[in-house]
Amino acid sequence: MTESVVLDPVDLRLLRLLQNDARTTYRDLAARVGVAPSTCLDRVTRLRRSGVILGHRLEVDPAKLGRGLQALLSVQVRPHRRELVGPFVERIRALPESRTVFHLTGPDDYLVHVAVADMADLQRLVLDEFTARREVARVETRLIFQQWECGPLLPPSPSAQSG
């Protein structure tokens, strides 16, 4: 398990602001949290080095790229052994349709978020890239009608940790 990093109120405000808009300048961030721009730069650099900030990502609209249908694929791998898991995950991650892959507990081993052109493309993906693999025992498909992003991720409040 990864160790958590101790964050003070300024760090938390920086994280909230950056998660809402990662393009905010250090000068604007510094003004909004009440520190000097050099202090702001040092704090963000420390958050990156400590692994709290993992990177900056560009969000795109899959539909504008011709991938207007999104789905979640629940996948069972049998046998669920390390020598099969690694190659399976690498193959699924390499597919241009794959958005996110989760390794799970429970009856399904993986949940894969995919974006495809249409139903025929989804059927091709499931049959040619998932169920055609020997280690895949079962795939269940759930279409995504709509999705929403949630607020910034911050550490639990002290009252949430104790209760």
Side-chain angles (χ1 to χ4, degrees):
M1 183 135 169
T2 305
E3 293 286 322
S4 62
V5 175
V6 177
L7 304 171
D8 68 17
V10 172
D11 293 329
L12 294 175
R13 287 196 309 268
L14 286 170
L15 286 174
R16 182 177 285 113
L17 291 167
L18 286 170
Q19 286 182 79
N20 287 329
D21 184 359
R23 297 179 306 164
T24 306
T25 66
Y26 288 116
R27 181 177 307 250
D28 289 343
L29 282 172
R32 292 178 71 184
V33 300
V35 298
S38 60
T39 301
C40 181
L41 175 61
D42 290 344
R43 282 177 173 264
V44 172
T45 300
R46 181 179 52 79
L47 291 168
R48 281 192 186 108
R49 284 192 184 131
S50 65
V52 173
I53 296 176
L54 298 177
H56 304 279
R57 290 173 184 81
L58 179 68
E59 187 177 341
V60 298
D61 182 347
K64 302 271 190 208
L65 298 177
R67 296 181 182 277
L69 181 65
Q70 295 185 65
L72 296 173
L73 307 179
S74 300
V75 182
Q76 235 181 35
V77 173
R78 294 294 178 261
H80 191 185
R81 293 196 319 248
R82 188 172 299 278
E83 61 269 15
L84 295 175
V85 165
F88 172 78
V89 170
E90 289 311 307
R91 175 64 189 139
I92 299 312
R93 289 184 67 210
L95 295 172
E97 298 88 355
S98 294
R99 307 296 304 130
T100 310
V101 180
F102 299 94
H103 192 188
L104 309 171
T105 63
D108 297 315
D109 300 312
Y110 296 94
L111 185 64
V112 184
H113 176 194
V114 299
V116 295
D118 52 29
M119 286 297 255
D121 196 26
L122 180 60
Q123 182 181 25
R124 177 207 51 81
L125 179 70
V126 170
L127 294 175
D128 295 348
E129 300 295 346
F130 284 84
T131 60
R133 298 184 62 89
R134 275 182 291 162
E135 69 272 25
V136 173
R138 184 178 61 78
V139 175
E140 282 187 17
T141 304
R142 291 172 179 84
L143 299 180
I144 298 173
F145 291 137
Q146 196 169 5
Q147 72 184 57
W148 296 267
E149 295 297 321
C150 298
L153 181 64
L154 300 172
S157 63
S159 61
Q161 290 176 339
S162 64

